Amino acid sequence: MTSSFLQPRGPGEDRETHTFRGGGRSRAAGSVNLERQAEGSEGAGTVLSYNPHINLTLTQQRQRLPIFKYRSQIMYLTEKYRTVVIIGETGSGKTTQIPQYLHEANWTGNGYVVGITQPRRVAATTVSPSLPTYLPLLVCLSVCVCRQVASRVADERGAMLGREVGYSIRFDSCCDPKQTRIKFLTDGMLVREMMKDPLLKDYSVMILDEAHERTLHTDIIVGLLRKIMKKRDDLRLIVSSATLDAELFKNFFETNPTRDSSRDTAVILTVEGRVFSVQPRYVKRPVANYVTSTVETVLALHREERNGDVLAFLTGQEEVDTAVAHLGEHASRSNKGMQLMAVPLYGGLPYGDQLKVFQRAPPNTRKVVVATNIAETSVTLPGIVFVVDCGFVKLRTFSLTTYLESLMVVPVSQSSAVQRAGRAGRVRTGKVFRLYTEDSYEKLEQTTVPEMQRSNLAPVILQLKALGVDNVLRFHFLSPPPADSMLHALELLYALGALDDDCQLTQPLGHNMAEFPLPPMFARMLLTSDTFGCSDEAVTITAMLQVHHVFNQTSRQKASAVSLFSISHYFRVNQFNKDPRWCQQHFLNYKGLCHAVSIREQLIKLLKRFKIPLTSCEGDPEPVQRCIVSGFFPNAARLHYTGSYRTVRGDHTLLIHPSSILHSERSPPWVVFNEVIQTSKQYMRDVTVIKPGWLYELAPHFYEYGTERELAEAKRRRTDAS
DNA sequence: GAGCACTGC
């Protein structure tokens, strides 16, 4: 049995109707129905359920998707316009169907490919409560959203994954350059492809899925596509977006200079989905403490509402743990009526604990998942009927005074609030309890500030340069970042040797740095590591520092580069990556360590490509420290007599993070650091002891002279202070 | 002596 009833069609053929074979069982019949998996949240959401229409063929299933009735319209608009912005509600099936419609309409003729980008590699995992308990485990191990959606589409086409339908993500690519016609890939992967093929000449149509999430990579792609489409008038673009951003995308790609709308080149189409309504409830007056208020709200709705699981949003791990603990106390105290089961969910949670949120609550028990923003896009929970939204989120911000990134708790945007509420409307009509007034909801920002406007731009600028954008200051950004932020990034890249006096990418250093999937300072450190005779150590430390959750228990967070190095060593040498128990015993995150090992292997391959030999300094710390300085000299700080630190450039006050092993020791006079996190104070993380002489030796251009702007700024600060 | 939202190459 194949799905050969869906033959590719030429442009002249009838595209409105399908024929299908009745009778016999299709491939999917009688097994778990993966259809909703593909349609739920456009592939980002996975809802597994038993096939209710056991005798439906795959074609019939496809035709039942909400998107199906827009098929001819989408095909018409794609031919008439160059850009189609599709406002697609959750559950419309657009991720899996639109590429197939295009394929069937022969957009993949002459060897062309239809590409579909996703902002995430990991599928949003969710399971139907009706599944047996062992199934969630299987589902949660599913590899990635691209693979998942691609294999669904391959199934629907009766094709083998990796032939006609393929996918490409970091560490895992499954496509055939000659045969693949529909290709799912992460947005970051497409940026990499653009470095090799700046005009994307293999593609006839590019679909940007979930573009409203406005990741750095999506925004880079969007700006570049605008350039590409000037040179390639045959290329079509389909942007899948939320309602609020649709106009922004349309106007960005519109090339019609006249007011005559019949000459428009971009258009918006709204596609309805399958969602239930969610009624909002607001508080009468602002709450004093949203954590305790969350607990109270959950308890109140537990008393008053009929059954249905609850999802509560808080901003961070600590808040989540506090709320779960409080809910647990109440649950154990009240024994009459329905029981309460509170489970935490955040990114740093060990894998086994993360799976608990998918377990069904025992009979007569209500499940309450207290989660960070991970539940807003990355993890979709089944059976949620009530949402409690604290109204805040922890967001990355980039300071224009210190030029440091930090995490800050800020009010959510309306689109974020709507997204959170939507989590209650997947099974039946739901309710959202917003811990802010209706008035303050109206005053929230409509959309979240895109990452491009709140990030350190050095990695972005480096990539744009490598992608052939000569004048980044004049690059057409969908949302232009602050000019100051761009200038800072240019200066930093210049200091790292990636750019020359004419602001061009240096050869080979700048070009090679851009090839590394790393922040520029790490890339520079690796590319010079051989001269210190410690590229082996440098590559391991770099890989370990890319992984966020190496340690499971916060109390065990005593770590330095050196101990990270030995953990990595033991993990690899002793083949412990086959044994998660070793990690558990040592409070280490198994998944995180496996990831670090993959990154390490990838980096070693790149070093090989640039003919940098793997050398080791055999335990001598100084070469490693000097090597770190060669990349991280811009992040140098010296001990101030007050006991805190001051950055060498900018004179900003910083402290060593209490989790660092250096914190308990006598404060070293000079250090460099990887990053800063701001909580009650600004803390340096991943700190290395250095000698000041190394700064002048390894980065004389940076420390002998400041830029005029910086000198003026420092002078201004001194005068302000006095 | 405090405690890092989430992705991605």
Side-chain angles (χ1 to χ4, degrees):
Chain A
M1 167 71 200
T2 65
S3 303
S4 57
F5 40 80
L6 280 174
Q7 293 298 329
R9 286 148 200 275
E13 290 175 69
D14 172 21
R15 293 179 211 146
E16 264 64 71
T17 54
H18 291 286
T19 52
F20 55 85
R21 291 179 190 155
R25 287 152 61 96
S26 77
R27 286 163 56 103
S31 61
V32 173
N33 173 19
L34 291 163
E35 173 188 12
R36 294 209 54 207
Q37 163 177 348
E39 69 174 87
S41 176
E42 308 322 312
T46 311
V47 181
L48 280 185
S49 58
Y50 284 113
N51 190 345
H53 316 292
I54 203 112
N55 287 319
L56 286 188
T57 64
L58 285 163
T59 313
Q60 285 171 313
Q61 289 178 27
R62 286 186 61 194
Q63 290 173 350
R64 294 174 79 95
L65 291 171
I67 190 89
F68 182 69
K69 55 176 181 283
Y70 299 92
R71 184 180 190 274
S72 57
Q73 205 177 349
I74 293 167
M75 290 305 99
Y76 168 74
L77 294 176
T78 314
E79 285 198 20
K80 182 162 190 287
Y81 295 89
R82 303 190 54 198
T83 304
V84 185
V85 180
I86 295 186
I87 301 173
E89 286 178 11
T90 311
S92 61
K94 61 182 182 325
T95 305
T96 58
Q97 300 307 303
I98 295 177
Q100 296 191 67
Y101 298 162
L102 292 163
H103 183 45
E104 287 150 19
N106 210 26
W107 279 96
T108 48
N110 297 327
Y112 276 117
V113 179
V114 170
I116 310 99
T117 69
Q118 297 289 327
R120 276 174 298 281
R121 40 184 291 134
V122 182
T125 5
T126 137
V127 268
S128 156
S130 64
L131 283 174
T133 42
Y134 62 85
L135 257 176
L137 278 159
L138 300 176
V139 175
C140 292
L141 293 170
S142 62
V143 190
C144 81
V145 65
C146 291
R147 190 198 168 101
Q148 205 176 336
V149 181
S151 49
R152 170 62 192 174
V153 172
D155 269 3
E156 290 185 357
R157 312 206 56 75
M160 226 165 78
L161 186 61
R163 309 285 271 278
E164 184 185 271
V165 185
Y167 67 89
S168 172
I169 58 168
R170 189 184 190 182
F171 308 129
D172 185 16
S173 172
C174 186
C175 48
D176 181 325
K178 289 206 179 78
Q179 292 183 56
T180 299
R181 292 293 161 263
I182 298 175
K183 184 167 168 183
F184 292 86
L185 67 176
T186 49
D187 52 8
M189 217 51 198
L190 183 62
V191 173
R192 293 282 146 184
E193 282 195 7
M194 285 170 139
M195 287 186 180
K196 295 197 183 80
D197 176 15
L199 286 179
L200 291 175
K201 54 185 185 314
D202 291 344
Y203 295 91
S204 58
V205 186
M206 188 57 69
I207 306 173
L208 302 183
D209 209 358
E210 316 270 353
H212 56 273
E213 287 192 22
R214 304 292 305 276
T215 67
L216 274 183
H217 286 141
T218 302
D219 271 23
I220 291 173
I221 291 166
V222 162
L224 288 164
L225 275 172
R226 195 173 178 277
K227 270 182 80 171
I228 294 171
M229 286 173 82
K230 278 186 185 152
K231 294 183 184 158
R232 273 195 57 190
D233 53 12
D234 59 322
L235 183 67
R236 292 293 184 276
L237 174 63
I238 295 177
V239 182
S240 137
S241 164
T243 320
L244 282 172
D245 309 88
E247 282 289 330
L248 181 70
F249 283 112
K250 181 195 176 283
N251 295 337
F252 188 75
F253 285 105
E254 181 58 70
T255 55
N256 174 14
T258 70
R259 285 173 172 266
D260 177 8
S261 63
S262 70
R263 292 168 67 186
D264 277 2
T265 61
V267 67
I268 296 175
L269 172 72
T270 305
V271 171
E272 69 187 35
R274 284 179 192 155
V275 281
F276 299 95
S277 71
V278 179
Q279 307 159 1
R281 295 268 193 284
Y282 296 92
V283 295
K284 294 279 187 305
R285 59 188 71 84
V287 301
N289 177 330
Y290 60 73
V291 181
T292 49
S293 189
T294 297
V295 174
E296 284 159 12
T297 308
V298 169
L299 293 173
L301 82 83
H302 180 55
R303 282 192 303 271
E304 288 155 23
E305 302 283 351
R306 64 187 178 122
N307 59 351
D309 290 346
V310 184
L311 171 61
F313 284 98
L314 288 172
T315 72
Q317 176 176 334
E318 201 184 356
E319 288 175 9
V320 168
D321 286 337
T322 311
V324 168
H326 284 191
L327 286 169
E329 283 167 28
H330 285 278
S332 55
R333 244 184 277 149
S334 63
N335 275 331
K336 50 179 189 277
M338 203 200 279
Q339 299 293 303
L340 200 66
M341 179 181 97
V343 277
L345 174 64
Y346 42 79
L349 212 58
Y351 199 49
D353 293 346
Q354 255 185 29
L355 292 183
K356 283 182 192 153
V357 302
F358 295 105
Q359 278 170 13
R360 236 186 316 169
N364 202 31
T365 305
R366 190 198 300 273
K367 186 168 76 180
V368 181
V369 178
V370 187
T372 61
N373 233 26
I374 192 171
E376 196 179 298
T377 47
S378 298
V379 177
T380 306
L381 301 161
I384 298 295
V385 179
F386 305 102
V387 162
V388 180
D389 174 12
C390 76
F392 288 90
V393 64
K394 205 173 278 186
L395 220 55
R396 176 165 54 204
T397 53
F398 184 69
S399 158
L400 287 175
T401 49
T402 61
Y403 297 114
L404 294 168
E405 280 185 342
S406 59
L407 289 167
M408 268 172 65
V409 175
V410 293
V412 292
S413 64
Q414 286 183 2
S415 57
S416 191
V418 169
Q419 177 73 18
R420 288 178 175 188
R423 295 302 188 181
R426 298 179 72 100
V427 259
R428 61 170 203 241
T429 51
K431 281 183 190 169
V432 56
F433 297 85
R434 290 179 168 147
L435 302 181
Y436 38 96
T437 63
E438 187 162 9
D439 200 39
S440 30
Y441 173 80
E442 297 299 335
K443 285 177 189 153
L444 292 176
E445 293 292 329
Q446 280 209 322
T447 54
T448 308
V449 177
E451 261 191 309
M452 192 63 87
Q453 293 178 328
R454 50 184 171 87
S455 303
N456 171 10
L457 291 177
V460 176
I461 304 278
L462 182 62
Q463 276 185 333
L464 285 179
K465 285 279 178 190
L467 286 157
V469 178
D470 282 334
N471 192 339
V472 286
L473 295 171
R474 263 197 243 147
F475 182 69
H476 229 96
F477 288 97
L478 186 55
S479 306
D484 215 24
S485 175
M486 293 224 264
L487 289 174
H488 172 260
L490 287 168
E491 280 169 22
L492 178 66
L493 290 171
Y494 176 77
L496 289 171
L499 298 177
D500 61 21
D501 290 340
D502 302 322
C503 220
Q504 299 294 307
L505 221 51
T506 54
Q507 189 65 267
L509 184 61
H511 282 96
N512 292 354
M513 276 172 69
E515 291 279 312
F516 274 94
L518 293 171
M521 292 200 267
F522 279 106
R524 155 86 199 216
M525 166 180 145
L526 281 191
L527 284 166
T528 50
S529 60
D530 173 43
T531 60
F532 300 96
C534 62
S535 52
D536 196 356
E537 288 82 0
V539 83
T540 298
I541 290 167
T542 301
M544 288 295 274
L545 288 179
Q546 305 313 306
V547 180
H548 191 215
H549 305 292
V550 174
F551 300 94
N552 272 341
Q553 289 207 349
T554 41
S555 58
R556 299 271 171 162
Q557 271 186 353
K558 305 276 177 204
S560 69
V562 176
S563 66
L564 282 174
F565 179 76
S566 43
I567 290 164
S568 172
H569 182 78
Y570 284 119
F571 187 69
R572 284 179 290 115
V573 170
N574 300 318
Q575 302 267 309
F576 285 123
N577 40 358
K578 305 252 178 345
D579 185 10
R581 280 171 305 175
W582 179 81
C583 290
Q584 220 170 12
Q585 281 159 15
H586 295 85
F587 304 100
L588 297 170
N589 190 312
Y590 173 70
K591 215 170 59 169
L593 281 173
C594 290
H595 192 219
V597 171
S598 311
I599 293 176
R600 186 174 175 278
E601 283 163 6
Q602 191 190 22
L603 297 179
I604 288 174
K605 268 187 209 153
L606 277 162
L607 286 178
K608 228 174 238 164
R609 183 136 71 82
F610 299 132
K611 308 239 181 320
I612 294 173
L614 221 53
T615 47
S616 170
C617 55
E618 311 292 344
D620 182 6
E622 189 168 315
V624 180
Q625 289 166 320
R626 290 164 64 95
C627 177
I628 292 172
V629 170
S630 76
F632 286 85
F633 61 84
N635 285 356
R638 64 176 185 278
L639 186 63
H640 194 250
Y641 69 91
T642 53
S644 61
Y645 282 82
R646 297 284 189 279
T647 55
V648 179
R649 274 203 150 190
D651 209 32
H652 303 296
T653 303
L654 297 172
L655 295 168
I656 290 182
H657 196 278
S659 70
S660 167
I661 51 159
L662 289 178
H663 188 263
S664 46
E665 297 175 4
R666 205 162 60 89
S667 300
W670 291 81
V671 293
V672 291
F673 55 91
N674 173 25
E675 57 181 2
V676 170
I677 58 156
Q678 183 174 3
T679 48
S680 57
K681 294 184 183 95
Q682 298 229 312
Y683 290 103
M684 302 178 273
R685 287 195 59 214
D686 311 323
V687 184
T688 302
V689 182
I690 59 157
K691 287 183 184 147
W694 298 345
L695 291 176
Y696 299 101
E697 180 193 329
L698 298 165
H701 54 293
F702 194 70
Y703 282 107
E704 272 181 7
Y705 315 101
T707 62
E708 278 181 39
R709 196 165 62 91
E710 282 176 327
L711 293 172
E713 182 68 19
K715 194 177 170 188
R716 189 188 57 76
R717 244 195 311 275
R718 278 196 299 273
T719 7
D720 284 355
S722 60

